[in-house]
Amino acid sequence: MTMSQPQSYEILLVPKFTEGPVEAPKAKGASEAPESADAGDARSVGAPIRSAVVEATGETGASGYPRYAGEGMVADIDPATHTVEALLVDGAELDLGLSVRLSERTADG
């Protein structure tokens, strides 16, 4: 049985010092939850400074991994490990001080 590659991912650019999962932006009008005892925990980091949904192009990038593109970003992503192997943002390499988080997109969103 062969596994198919994901057809799209969401790429999140976050400050390099950020560790742990990225906090999703809150829906407009959502109420703020009271701060918990874990408010200083590394898992509760800020929102990404930029995001993009990238879709499979059917091409293989210079890194040898499938290429995904969309919303100004082009990425070579290893589908087995969900690792971004190469990334261009608006045609340029990723700025120092930024890192990438990756989220697989499902067919329903």
Side-chain angles (χ1 to χ4, degrees):
M1 177 180 197
T2 55
M3 275 170 73
S4 64
Q5 297 173 359
Q7 293 302 299
S8 64
Y9 287 98
E10 183 174 22
I11 295 177
L12 307 171
L13 298 182
V14 297
K16 192 169 189 159
F17 58 82
T18 301
E19 294 182 12
V22 175
E23 188 176 286
K26 292 187 179 11
K28 187 174 183 176
S31 63
E32 292 289 324
E35 296 215 11
S36 68
D38 295 331
D41 190 54
R43 288 176 288 177
S44 60
V45 298
I49 60 172
R50 182 165 173 184
S51 67
V53 173
V54 293
E55 297 188 6
T57 65
E59 300 172 354
T60 299
S63 66
Y65 292 99
R67 177 151 292 165
Y68 293 77
E71 299 180 34
M73 293 189 198
V74 178
D76 296 355
I77 300 173
D78 179 349
T81 63
H82 303 285
T83 302
V84 177
E85 298 293 339
L87 178 66
L88 295 177
V89 179
D90 296 331
E93 292 183 5
L94 191 63
D95 289 336
L96 291 177
L98 296 177
S99 62
V100 178
R101 297 290 188 270
L102 194 64
S103 174
E104 187 175 333
R105 302 281 292 185
T106 59
D108 60 354

Coordinates of all heavy atoms in Angstrom, one line a residue:
M1 N 0.8 -1.2 0.0 CA 0.0 0.0 0.0 C 0.9 1.2 0.0 O 1.8 1.4 0.8 CB -0.9 0.0 1.2 CG -1.8 1.2 1.4 SD -2.7 1.0 2.9 CE -3.9 2.2 2.6
T2 N 0.7 2.1 -0.9 CA 1.5 3.4 -1.0 C 0.7 4.5 -0.3 O -0.5 4.6 -0.4 CB 1.8 3.8 -2.5 OG1 0.5 3.9 -3.2 CG2 2.7 2.7 -3.1
M3 N 1.5 5.3 0.4 CA 0.9 6.5 1.0 C 1.0 7.7 0.1 O 2.0 7.9 -0.6 CB 1.7 6.9 2.3 CG 1.2 6.1 3.5 SD 2.2 6.3 4.9 CE 1.9 7.9 5.5
S4 N -0.1 8.4 -0.1 CA 0.0 9.6 -0.9 C 0.5 10.8 -0.1 O 0.5 10.8 1.1 CB -1.4 10.0 -1.4 OG -2.3 10.3 -0.3
Q5 N 1.1 11.7 -0.8 CA 1.7 12.9 -0.2 C 0.6 13.9 0.1 O -0.4 14.0 -0.6 CB 2.7 13.5 -1.1 CG 3.9 12.6 -1.4 CD 4.8 13.2 -2.4 OE1 4.6 14.3 -3.0 NE2 5.9 12.5 -2.7
P6 N 0.7 14.6 1.2 CA -0.3 15.7 1.5 C -0.3 16.7 0.3 O 0.7 17.0 -0.3 CB 0.3 16.4 2.7 CG 1.2 15.3 3.4 CD 1.7 14.6 2.2
Q7 N -1.5 17.1 0.0 CA -1.7 18.0 -1.1 C -1.5 19.5 -0.7 O -1.3 20.3 -1.6 CB -3.0 17.8 -1.8 CG -3.1 16.5 -2.5 CD -2.0 16.3 -3.6 OE1 -1.9 17.0 -4.5 NE2 -1.2 15.3 -3.4
S8 N -1.6 19.8 0.6 CA -1.4 21.2 1.0 C -1.0 21.2 2.5 O -1.2 20.3 3.2 CB -2.6 22.0 0.8 OG -3.7 21.6 1.6
Y9 N -0.3 22.3 2.8 CA 0.2 22.5 4.2 C -0.1 24.0 4.5 O -0.2 24.8 3.5 CB 1.7 22.3 4.3 CG 2.2 20.9 4.3 CD1 2.7 20.3 3.1 CD2 2.2 20.2 5.5 CE1 3.1 19.0 3.1 CE2 2.7 18.9 5.5 CZ 3.1 18.3 4.3 OH 3.6 17.0 4.3
E10 N -0.1 24.3 5.7 CA -0.1 25.7 6.1 C 1.3 26.0 6.7 O 1.7 25.2 7.6 CB -1.2 26.0 7.2 CG -1.2 27.5 7.5 CD -2.3 27.9 8.5 OE1 -2.9 27.0 9.1 OE2 -2.6 29.1 8.5
I11 N 2.0 27.0 6.2 CA 3.3 27.3 6.7 C 3.1 28.6 7.6 O 2.5 29.5 7.2 CB 4.3 27.6 5.6 CG1 4.5 26.4 4.7 CG2 5.6 28.2 6.1 CD1 5.4 26.6 3.5
L12 N 3.7 28.5 8.8 CA 3.6 29.6 9.7 C 5.1 30.1 10.0 O 5.9 29.3 10.3 CB 3.0 29.2 11.1 CG 1.6 28.5 11.0 CD1 1.3 27.9 12.3 CD2 0.6 29.5 10.5
L13 N 5.3 31.4 9.8 CA 6.6 32.0 10.1 C 6.5 32.6 11.5 O 5.6 33.4 11.8 CB 7.0 33.1 9.1 CG 7.1 32.6 7.7 CD1 7.6 33.8 6.8 CD2 8.1 31.5 7.6
V14 N 7.4 32.2 12.4 CA 7.4 32.6 13.8 C 8.8 33.1 14.2 O 9.8 32.7 13.5 CB 7.0 31.5 14.8 CG1 5.5 31.1 14.5 CG2 7.9 30.3 14.7
P15 N 8.9 34.0 15.2 CA 10.3 34.4 15.7 C 11.1 33.1 16.0 O 10.6 32.2 16.6 CB 10.0 35.2 16.9 CG 8.6 35.7 16.7 CD 7.9 34.6 16.0
K16 N 12.4 33.2 15.7 CA 13.2 32.0 15.9 C 13.3 31.5 17.3 O 13.4 30.3 17.6 CB 14.6 32.3 15.4 CG 15.5 31.1 15.3 CD 16.8 31.4 14.6 CE 17.5 30.1 14.3 NZ 18.5 30.2 13.3
F17 N 13.2 32.4 18.3 CA 13.2 32.0 19.7 C 12.0 31.3 20.2 O 12.0 30.8 21.3 CB 13.5 33.2 20.6 CG 12.5 34.3 20.5 CD1 11.3 34.2 21.2 CD2 12.7 35.4 19.6 CE1 10.3 35.2 21.0 CE2 11.8 36.4 19.5 CZ 10.6 36.3 20.2
T18 N 11.0 31.2 19.4 CA 9.7 30.6 19.8 C 9.9 29.1 19.8 O 10.4 28.5 18.9 CB 8.6 30.9 18.7 OG1 8.5 32.3 18.7 CG2 7.3 30.2 19.1
E19 N 9.5 28.5 20.9 CA 9.5 27.0 21.0 C 8.1 26.5 21.3 O 7.3 27.2 21.8 CB 10.4 26.6 22.2 CG 11.9 26.9 22.0 CD 12.7 26.5 23.1 OE1 12.3 25.7 24.0 OE2 13.9 26.9 23.2
G20 N 7.9 25.3 20.9 CA 6.5 24.7 21.1 C 5.6 25.1 20.0 O 5.9 25.8 19.0
P21 N 4.3 24.6 20.1 CA 3.3 24.9 19.1 C 2.9 26.4 19.1 O 3.0 27.1 20.1 CB 2.1 24.0 19.5 CG 2.4 23.6 20.9 CD 3.9 23.7 21.2
V22 N 2.5 26.8 18.0 CA 2.1 28.2 17.8 C 0.6 28.4 18.2 O -0.2 27.5 17.8 CB 2.3 28.7 16.4 CG1 1.8 30.1 16.1 CG2 3.8 28.6 16.0
E23 N 0.3 29.4 18.9 CA -1.1 29.7 19.3 C -1.8 30.2 18.1 O -1.4 31.1 17.5 CB -1.0 30.8 20.4 CG -2.4 31.0 21.1 CD -2.2 32.0 22.2 OE1 -1.6 31.6 23.3 OE2 -2.6 33.1 22.0
A24 N -3.0 29.6 17.8 CA -3.8 30.0 16.7 C -4.4 31.4 17.0 O -4.8 31.6 18.2 CB -4.9 29.0 16.4
P25 N -4.6 32.2 16.0 CA -5.3 33.5 16.2 C -6.7 33.2 16.7 O -7.3 32.3 16.3 CB -5.2 34.2 14.8 CG -4.2 33.4 14.1 CD -4.1 32.1 14.6
K26 N -7.2 34.1 17.6 CA -8.5 33.9 18.1 C -9.6 34.5 17.2 O -9.3 35.4 16.5 CB -8.6 34.7 19.5 CG -7.8 34.0 20.6 CD -8.1 34.7 21.9 CE -7.4 34.2 23.1 NZ -6.3 33.3 23.0
A27 N -10.7 33.8 17.1 CA -11.8 34.3 16.3 C -12.3 35.7 16.7 O -12.3 36.0 17.9 CB -12.9 33.3 16.3
K28 N -12.7 36.5 15.7 CA -13.1 37.8 16.0 C -14.3 37.7 17.0 O -15.3 37.0 16.7 CB -13.5 38.5 14.7 CG -13.8 40.0 14.9 CD -14.1 40.7 13.6 CE -14.3 42.1 13.8 NZ -14.4 42.8 12.6
G29 N -14.3 38.5 18.0 CA -15.4 38.5 19.0 C -15.3 37.4 20.0 O -16.2 37.3 20.9
A30 N -14.3 36.5 20.0 CA -14.1 35.5 21.0 C -13.7 36.1 22.3 O -12.9 37.1 22.3 CB -13.1 34.5 20.5
S31 N -14.2 35.6 23.4 CA -13.9 36.1 24.7 C -12.5 35.6 25.1 O -12.1 34.5 24.7 CB -14.9 35.7 25.7 OG -14.9 34.3 25.8
E32 N -11.8 36.4 25.8 CA -10.5 36.1 26.4 C -10.6 35.2 27.5 O -11.4 35.4 28.5 CB -9.7 37.3 26.8 CG -9.3 38.3 25.6 CD -8.2 37.7 24.8 OE1 -7.3 37.0 25.3 OE2 -8.3 37.9 23.5
A33 N -9.9 34.1 27.6 CA -9.9 33.2 28.7 C -9.0 33.7 29.8 O -8.0 34.4 29.5 CB -9.4 31.8 28.3
P34 N -9.4 33.5 31.0 CA -8.5 34.0 32.1 C -7.1 33.3 32.0 O -7.1 32.1 31.6 CB -9.2 33.6 33.4 CG -10.2 32.6 33.0 CD -10.5 32.8 31.5
E35 N -6.1 34.0 32.5 CA -4.8 33.4 32.4 C -4.7 32.3 33.4 O -5.2 32.3 34.5 CB -3.7 34.5 32.8 CG -3.7 35.6 31.8 CD -2.3 36.2 31.6 OE1 -1.4 35.6 32.0 OE2 -2.3 37.2 31.0
S36 N -4.0 31.2 32.9 CA -3.9 30.0 33.7 C -2.5 30.1 34.5 O -1.7 30.9 34.2 CB -3.9 28.7 32.8 OG -2.8 28.7 32.0
A37 N -2.3 29.1 35.3 CA -1.1 29.0 36.1 C 0.1 28.8 35.1 O 1.2 29.1 35.5 CB -1.2 27.9 37.1
D38 N -0.2 28.3 33.9 CA 0.9 28.0 33.0 C 1.1 29.1 32.0 O 1.6 29.0 30.9 CB 0.6 26.7 32.2 CG 0.5 25.5 33.0 OD1 1.2 25.5 34.0 OD2 -0.2 24.5 32.7
A39 N 0.7 30.3 32.3 CA 0.8 31.5 31.4 C 2.2 31.7 30.9 O 2.4 32.2 29.8 CB 0.3 32.7 32.1
G40 N 3.2 31.4 31.7 CA 4.6 31.6 31.2 C 5.2 30.4 30.5 O 6.3 30.4 30.1
D41 N 4.3 29.4 30.3 CA 4.8 28.1 29.6 C 5.2 28.4 28.2 O 4.5 29.1 27.5 CB 3.7 27.1 29.7 CG 4.1 25.7 29.3 OD1 5.1 25.2 29.9 OD2 3.5 25.1 28.5
A42 N 6.2 27.7 27.7 CA 6.7 27.9 26.3 C 5.7 27.5 25.3 O 5.7 27.9 24.1 CB 8.0 27.2 26.1
R43 N 4.7 26.7 25.7 CA 3.7 26.2 24.7 C 2.7 27.3 24.3 O 2.0 27.2 23.3 CB 2.9 25.0 25.3 CG 3.8 23.8 25.3 CD 3.1 22.7 26.0 NE 3.0 23.0 27.4 CZ 2.4 22.3 28.3 NH1 1.7 21.2 27.9 NH2 2.4 22.6 29.6
S44 N 2.6 28.3 25.1 CA 1.7 29.4 24.8 C 2.5 30.6 24.2 O 2.8 31.5 24.9 CB 0.8 29.8 26.0 OG 1.7 30.3 27.0
V45 N 2.8 30.5 23.0 CA 3.6 31.6 22.3 C 2.6 32.4 21.5 O 1.4 32.1 21.4 CB 4.7 31.0 21.4 CG1 5.6 30.2 22.2 CG2 4.0 30.1 20.3
G46 N 3.1 33.5 20.9 CA 2.3 34.4 20.2 C 1.9 33.8 18.8 O 2.3 32.8 18.4
A47 N 1.1 34.6 18.1 CA 0.6 34.2 16.8 C 1.8 34.4 15.8 O 2.7 35.1 16.0 CB -0.5 35.1 16.4
P48 N 1.7 33.7 14.7 CA 2.7 33.8 13.7 C 2.7 35.2 13.1 O 1.7 35.9 13.0 CB 2.3 32.7 12.6 CG 0.9 32.5 12.8 CD 0.6 32.7 14.3
I49 N 3.9 35.6 12.5 CA 3.9 36.9 11.9 C 3.5 36.9 10.5 O 3.2 37.9 9.9 CB 5.3 37.5 12.0 CG1 6.4 36.7 11.4 CG2 5.7 37.8 13.5 CD1 7.7 37.3 11.3
R50 N 3.5 35.7 9.9 CA 3.0 35.5 8.5 C 2.6 34.0 8.3 O 3.3 33.1 8.9 CB 4.0 35.9 7.5 CG 3.5 35.8 6.1 CD 4.4 36.5 5.1 NE 3.9 36.2 3.7 CZ 4.5 36.6 2.6 NH1 5.6 37.4 2.8 NH2 4.1 36.3 1.5
S51 N 1.6 33.8 7.5 CA 1.3 32.4 7.2 C 0.8 32.3 5.8 O 0.5 33.3 5.1 CB 0.1 31.9 8.1 OG -1.1 32.6 7.8
A52 N 0.9 31.1 5.2 CA 0.5 30.8 3.9 C 0.0 29.4 3.7 O 0.6 28.5 4.3 CB 1.6 31.2 2.9
V53 N -1.0 29.2 2.9 CA -1.4 27.8 2.5 C -0.7 27.5 1.2 O -0.8 28.3 0.2 CB -2.9 27.7 2.4 CG1 -3.2 26.3 1.8 CG2 -3.6 28.0 3.7
V54 N 0.1 26.5 1.2 CA 0.9 26.1 0.0 C 0.3 24.7 -0.5 O -0.1 23.9 0.3 CB 2.4 26.0 0.3 CG1 3.0 27.3 0.6 CG2 2.7 25.0 1.4
E55 N 0.3 24.6 -1.8 CA -0.3 23.4 -2.4 C 0.8 22.7 -3.2 O 1.7 23.3 -3.8 CB -1.5 23.7 -3.2 CG -2.6 24.2 -2.4 CD -3.9 24.4 -3.1 OE1 -4.0 24.0 -4.3 OE2 -4.9 25.0 -2.5
A56 N 0.7 21.4 -3.4 CA 1.6 20.6 -4.2 C 1.6 21.1 -5.6 O 0.6 21.3 -6.2 CB 1.3 19.1 -4.1
T57 N 2.8 21.3 -6.2 CA 3.0 21.7 -7.6 C 3.1 20.5 -8.5 O 3.0 20.7 -9.7 CB 4.1 22.7 -7.7 OG1 5.4 21.9 -7.5 CG2 4.0 23.9 -6.8
G58 N 3.5 19.4 -8.0 CA 3.8 18.2 -8.8 C 5.3 18.2 -9.2 O 5.7 17.2 -9.9
E59 N 6.0 19.2 -8.8 CA 7.5 19.3 -9.2 C 8.3 18.8 -8.0 O 7.8 18.7 -6.8 CB 7.9 20.7 -9.5 CG 7.1 21.3 -10.6 CD 7.4 22.8 -10.8 OE1 8.1 23.4 -9.9 OE2 7.0 23.4 -11.8
T60 N 9.5 18.5 -8.2 CA 10.5 18.1 -7.2 C 11.5 19.3 -7.1 O 12.0 19.8 -8.1 CB 11.3 16.8 -7.5 OG1 10.3 15.8 -7.6 CG2 12.3 16.5 -6.4
G61 N 11.7 19.8 -5.9 CA 12.6 20.9 -5.7 C 14.0 20.5 -5.8 O 14.4 19.3 -5.9
A62 N 14.9 21.5 -5.7 CA 16.4 21.3 -5.8 C 16.8 20.4 -4.6 O 17.8 19.7 -4.7 CB 17.1 22.6 -5.7
S63 N 16.1 20.4 -3.5 CA 16.5 19.6 -2.3 C 16.1 18.1 -2.5 O 16.5 17.2 -1.7 CB 15.8 20.1 -1.1 OG 14.4 19.9 -1.2
G64 N 15.3 17.8 -3.6 CA 14.9 16.4 -3.8 C 13.6 16.1 -3.2 O 13.1 14.9 -3.4
Y65 N 12.9 17.0 -2.6 CA 11.6 16.8 -2.0 C 10.5 17.5 -2.8 O 10.8 18.4 -3.6 CB 11.6 17.3 -0.5 CG 12.5 16.5 0.4 CD1 13.8 17.0 0.7 CD2 12.1 15.3 0.9 CE1 14.6 16.3 1.5 CE2 12.9 14.6 1.7 CZ 14.2 15.0 2.0 OH 15.0 14.3 2.8
P66 N 9.3 17.1 -2.6 CA 8.1 17.7 -3.4 C 8.1 19.2 -3.1 O 8.3 19.6 -2.0 CB 6.9 17.0 -2.8 CG 7.4 15.7 -2.2 CD 8.8 16.0 -1.8
R67 N 7.7 19.9 -4.1 CA 7.6 21.4 -4.0 C 6.1 21.8 -3.8 O 5.2 21.2 -4.4 CB 8.1 22.0 -5.3 CG 8.0 23.5 -5.3 CD 9.0 24.2 -6.1 NE 10.3 24.1 -5.4 CZ 11.4 24.4 -6.1 NH1 11.4 24.8 -7.3 NH2 12.6 24.2 -5.5
Y68 N 6.0 22.7 -2.9 CA 4.7 23.3 -2.6 C 4.8 24.8 -2.8 O 5.8 25.4 -2.5 CB 4.3 23.0 -1.2 CG 4.0 21.5 -0.9 CD1 5.1 20.6 -0.8 CD2 2.7 21.0 -0.8 CE1 4.9 19.2 -0.5 CE2 2.5 19.6 -0.6 CZ 3.6 18.8 -0.5 OH 3.3 17.4 -0.2
A69 N 3.7 25.4 -3.3 CA 3.7 26.9 -3.5 C 2.4 27.5 -3.3 O 1.3 26.8 -3.4 CB 4.2 27.2 -4.9
G70 N 2.4 28.8 -2.8 CA 1.1 29.5 -2.6 C 1.4 30.7 -1.8 O 2.2 30.7 -0.9
E71 N 0.6 31.8 -2.0 CA 0.6 33.0 -1.2 C 2.0 33.6 -1.0 O 2.3 34.0 0.1 CB -0.1 32.7 0.1 CG -1.6 32.3 -0.1 CD -2.3 32.1 1.2 OE1 -2.0 32.8 2.2 OE2 -3.2 31.2 1.3
G72 N 2.8 33.5 -2.0 CA 4.2 34.2 -1.9 C 5.2 33.3 -1.3 O 6.4 33.7 -1.2
M73 N 4.9 32.0 -1.0 CA 5.9 31.1 -0.5 C 6.1 29.9 -1.4 O 5.1 29.4 -2.0 CB 5.5 30.6 0.9 CG 5.5 31.7 2.0 SD 5.3 31.0 3.6 CE 4.8 32.5 4.5
V74 N 7.3 29.4 -1.5 CA 7.6 28.2 -2.2 C 8.5 27.4 -1.3 O 9.5 27.9 -0.8 CB 8.4 28.5 -3.5 CG1 8.8 27.2 -4.2 CG2 7.6 29.4 -4.4
A75 N 8.1 26.1 -1.0 CA 8.7 25.3 -0.1 C 8.9 23.9 -0.6 O 8.1 23.3 -1.3 CB 7.9 25.2 1.2
D76 N 10.1 23.3 -0.3 CA 10.4 21.9 -0.5 C 10.1 21.2 0.8 O 10.8 21.6 1.8 CB 11.8 21.6 -1.0 CG 12.1 22.3 -2.3 OD1 11.2 22.8 -3.0 OD2 13.3 22.2 -2.7
I77 N 9.1 20.3 0.9 CA 8.7 19.7 2.1 C 8.9 18.2 2.1 O 8.4 17.5 1.1 CB 7.3 20.1 2.5 CG1 7.2 21.6 2.6 CG2 6.8 19.4 3.8 CD1 5.7 22.1 2.7
D78 N 9.5 17.6 3.1 CA 9.7 16.1 3.2 C 8.3 15.6 3.8 O 8.0 15.9 4.9 CB 10.8 15.8 4.1 CG 11.0 14.3 4.4 OD1 10.1 13.5 3.9 OD2 12.0 13.9 4.9
P79 N 7.5 14.9 2.9 CA 6.2 14.5 3.4 C 6.3 13.4 4.5 O 5.4 13.2 5.3 CB 5.5 13.9 2.2 CG 6.7 13.6 1.2 CD 7.8 14.5 1.6
A80 N 7.4 12.7 4.6 CA 7.6 11.6 5.6 C 7.8 12.2 7.0 O 7.2 11.7 8.0 CB 8.7 10.7 5.3
T81 N 8.5 13.3 7.1 CA 8.9 13.9 8.4 C 8.2 15.2 8.6 O 8.3 15.8 9.7 CB 10.4 14.1 8.6 OG1 10.8 15.0 7.6 CG2 11.1 12.8 8.4
H82 N 7.5 15.7 7.6 CA 6.8 17.1 7.7 C 7.9 18.1 8.0 O 7.6 19.0 8.8 CB 5.7 17.1 8.6 CG 4.6 16.0 8.3 ND1 3.8 16.1 7.3 CD2 4.4 14.8 8.9 CE1 3.0 15.1 7.2 NE2 3.4 14.2 8.2
T83 N 9.0 18.1 7.4 CA 10.1 19.0 7.6 C 10.2 19.9 6.3 O 10.3 19.4 5.2 CB 11.4 18.3 7.8 OG1 11.3 17.4 9.0 CG2 12.6 19.3 8.1
V84 N 10.3 21.2 6.6 CA 10.6 22.1 5.5 C 12.1 22.1 5.2 O 12.9 22.5 6.0 CB 10.1 23.6 5.8 CG1 10.4 24.5 4.7 CG2 8.6 23.6 6.1
E85 N 12.4 21.6 4.0 CA 13.8 21.5 3.6 C 14.4 22.7 2.9 O 15.6 23.0 2.9 CB 14.0 20.3 2.7 CG 13.7 19.0 3.4 CD 14.6 18.6 4.6 OE1 15.7 19.1 4.6 OE2 14.2 17.8 5.4
A86 N 13.5 23.5 2.3 CA 13.9 24.7 1.6 C 12.7 25.6 1.6 O 11.6 25.2 1.5 CB 14.4 24.4 0.2
L87 N 12.9 27.0 1.7 CA 11.8 27.9 1.7 C 12.2 29.2 1.1 O 13.3 29.8 1.4 CB 11.3 28.1 3.1 CG 10.2 29.1 3.3 CD1 8.9 28.6 2.7 CD2 10.0 29.4 4.8
L88 N 11.4 29.7 0.2 CA 11.5 31.1 -0.3 C 10.2 31.9 0.1 O 9.1 31.3 -0.1 CB 11.7 31.1 -1.8 CG 12.9 30.5 -2.4 CD1 12.8 30.5 -3.9 CD2 14.2 31.2 -1.9
V89 N 10.4 33.1 0.6 CA 9.3 33.9 0.9 C 9.4 35.2 0.0 O 10.4 35.9 0.1 CB 9.4 34.3 2.4 CG1 8.2 35.3 2.7 CG2 9.3 33.1 3.3
D90 N 8.4 35.4 -0.8 CA 8.4 36.4 -1.8 C 9.7 36.4 -2.6 O 10.3 37.5 -2.9 CB 8.2 37.8 -1.1 CG 6.9 37.9 -0.4 OD1 5.9 37.3 -0.9 OD2 6.8 38.6 0.6
G91 N 10.2 35.2 -3.0 CA 11.3 35.1 -3.8 C 12.7 35.1 -3.1 O 13.7 35.0 -3.7
A92 N 12.7 35.3 -1.8 CA 13.9 35.5 -1.0 C 14.0 34.4 0.0 O 13.0 33.9 0.5 CB 14.0 36.9 -0.4
E93 N 15.2 34.1 0.5 CA 15.4 33.2 1.6 C 14.8 33.7 2.8 O 14.7 34.9 3.0 CB 16.9 32.8 1.7 CG 17.5 32.1 0.6 CD 18.9 31.7 0.8 OE1 19.5 32.0 1.9 OE2 19.5 31.2 -0.2
L94 N 14.6 32.8 3.8 CA 14.0 33.2 5.0 C 14.9 34.1 5.8 O 16.1 33.9 5.9 CB 13.7 31.9 5.9 CG 12.9 32.1 7.1 CD1 11.5 32.6 6.8 CD2 12.8 30.8 7.8
D95 N 14.4 35.2 6.3 CA 15.2 36.2 7.1 C 15.7 35.5 8.4 O 15.1 34.7 9.0 CB 14.3 37.4 7.5 CG 14.0 38.3 6.3 OD1 14.7 38.3 5.3 OD2 12.9 39.0 6.4
L96 N 16.9 36.0 8.8 CA 17.5 35.5 10.0 C 16.5 35.9 11.2 O 15.9 37.0 11.1 CB 18.8 36.1 10.3 CG 19.9 35.7 9.4 CD1 21.2 36.4 9.7 CD2 20.2 34.2 9.5
G97 N 16.4 35.1 12.2 CA 15.5 35.4 13.3 C 14.1 34.8 13.1 O 13.3 35.0 14.0
L98 N 13.8 34.2 12.0 CA 12.5 33.6 11.8 C 12.7 32.1 11.6 O 13.7 31.6 11.1 CB 11.9 34.1 10.5 CG 11.5 35.6 10.5 CD1 10.9 36.0 9.2 CD2 10.6 35.9 11.6
S99 N 11.7 31.3 12.1 CA 11.7 29.9 11.8 C 10.3 29.5 11.3 O 9.4 30.3 11.3 CB 12.1 29.1 13.1 OG 11.1 29.4 14.1
V100 N 10.2 28.2 11.0 CA 9.0 27.7 10.3 C 8.3 26.7 11.2 O 8.9 25.9 11.8 CB 9.3 27.1 8.9 CG1 8.1 26.6 8.2 CG2 10.1 28.1 8.1
R101 N 6.9 26.8 11.2 CA 6.1 25.8 11.7 C 5.2 25.3 10.6 O 4.8 26.1 9.7 CB 5.2 26.3 12.9 CG 6.0 26.8 14.1 CD 6.7 25.6 14.8 NE 7.3 26.1 16.0 CZ 8.6 26.5 16.2 NH1 9.3 26.6 15.1 NH2 9.0 26.8 17.3
L102 N 4.9 24.0 10.6 CA 4.1 23.4 9.5 C 2.9 22.7 10.0 O 3.0 22.0 11.0 CB 5.1 22.4 8.8 CG 4.7 21.9 7.4 CD1 4.6 23.1 6.4 CD2 5.7 20.9 7.0
S103 N 1.8 22.9 9.3 CA 0.6 22.2 9.7 C 0.0 21.6 8.4 O -0.2 22.3 7.4 CB -0.4 23.2 10.3 OG -1.7 22.6 10.5
E104 N -0.3 20.3 8.5 CA -0.9 19.6 7.3 C -2.4 20.1 7.2 O -3.1 20.1 8.2 CB -0.8 18.1 7.4 CG -1.3 17.4 6.2 CD -1.1 15.9 6.3 OE1 -0.2 15.4 7.1 OE2 -1.8 15.1 5.7
R105 N -2.8 20.4 6.0 CA -4.2 20.8 5.7 C -5.0 19.6 5.3 O -4.5 18.7 4.6 CB -4.2 21.8 4.6 CG -3.4 23.1 4.8 CD -4.1 24.0 5.7 NE -5.2 24.5 5.0 CZ -6.0 25.5 5.4 NH1 -5.8 26.0 6.6 NH2 -7.0 25.9 4.7
T106 N -6.2 19.5 5.8 CA -7.1 18.4 5.4 C -8.0 18.8 4.3 O -8.1 20.0 4.0 CB -8.0 18.0 6.6 OG1 -8.7 19.1 7.1 CG2 -7.1 17.4 7.8
A107 N -8.7 17.9 3.7 CA -9.5 18.2 2.5 C -10.6 19.2 2.9 O -11.1 20.0 2.1 CB -10.1 17.0 2.0
D108 N -11.1 19.2 4.2 CA -12.2 20.1 4.6 C -11.7 21.4 5.2 O -12.5 22.1 5.7 CB -13.1 19.4 5.6 CG -12.4 18.9 6.8 OD1 -11.1 19.0 6.9 OD2 -13.1 18.5 7.8
G109 N -10.4 21.7 5.1 CA -10.0 23.0 5.6 C -8.7 23.0 6.2 O -8.1 23.8 6.6

